[in-house]
Amino acid sequence: MVLVGLMLLQLVVITPLRASHAQAKADLEGASAQLDVVSAELVSRRMLRPSSGVPSIVYGEPLRKGLVQLANSRGLKVSRLQTGENGNLTLQFESAPPTLVYAWLADADKTYGAEPERAALFAAEAGTVRASFEFSGAPS
């Protein structure tokens, strides 16, 4: 009876715990590699951008059109685009590769001087993310 109990404990508790630990370790390695890629991209962009050539910040309709166009050029599909009463612009992506989202953000900063006031990224299926970014509608 004790042997059967030990076998059940092994099958029901210990084996799943070991599998989840291995999966967590693999996920951590993948996230670490992604962070390295994004960090290298940011460093290279900072080195390429001359300090006097910082773009002036764009607002309103030109920003909305420009951000959507940048997303399309990166192969990202904007799933929701919303302009708030205060003029803030919110873009959302569903099932997007995180490296493309980060590259799009870097392009938005480089091209339009646009940095999001709020951002949210959530892991989705198959290594993709759901992301939401809110950009200011007017100079503060």
Side-chain angles (χ1 to χ4, degrees), residues 24-46:
K25 193 173 184 177
D27 290 346
L28 177 62
E29 289 172 5
S32 178
Q34 232 173 24
L35 177 62
D36 292 342
V37 168
V38 170
S39 296
E41 175 75 17
L42 287 174
V43 167
S44 71
R45 286 189 183 266
R46 284 186 188 134

Side-chain angles (χ1 to χ4, degrees), residues 76-93:
L76 293 170
K77 182 180 178 197
V78 177
S79 61
R80 185 173 181 194
L81 179 63
Q82 182 177 7
T83 304
E85 290 179 14
N86 56 359
N88 286 0
L89 178 65
T90 303
L91 285 94
Q92 294 179 348
F93 302 101

Side-chain angles (χ1 to χ4, degrees), residues 76-131:
L76 293 170
K77 182 180 178 197
V78 177
S79 61
R80 185 173 181 194
L81 179 63
Q82 182 177 7
T83 304
E85 290 179 14
N86 56 359
N88 286 0
L89 178 65
T90 303
L91 285 94
Q92 294 179 348
F93 302 101
E94 298 286 335
S95 300
T99 51
L100 290 182
V101 173
Y102 296 134
W104 170 78
L105 277 173
D107 287 347
D109 181 36
K110 179 181 174 188
T111 307
Y112 299 103
E115 293 182 359
E117 287 186 357
R118 290 186 186 89
L121 275 93
F122 301 97
E125 69 281 345
T128 61
V129 295
R130 287 179 306 143

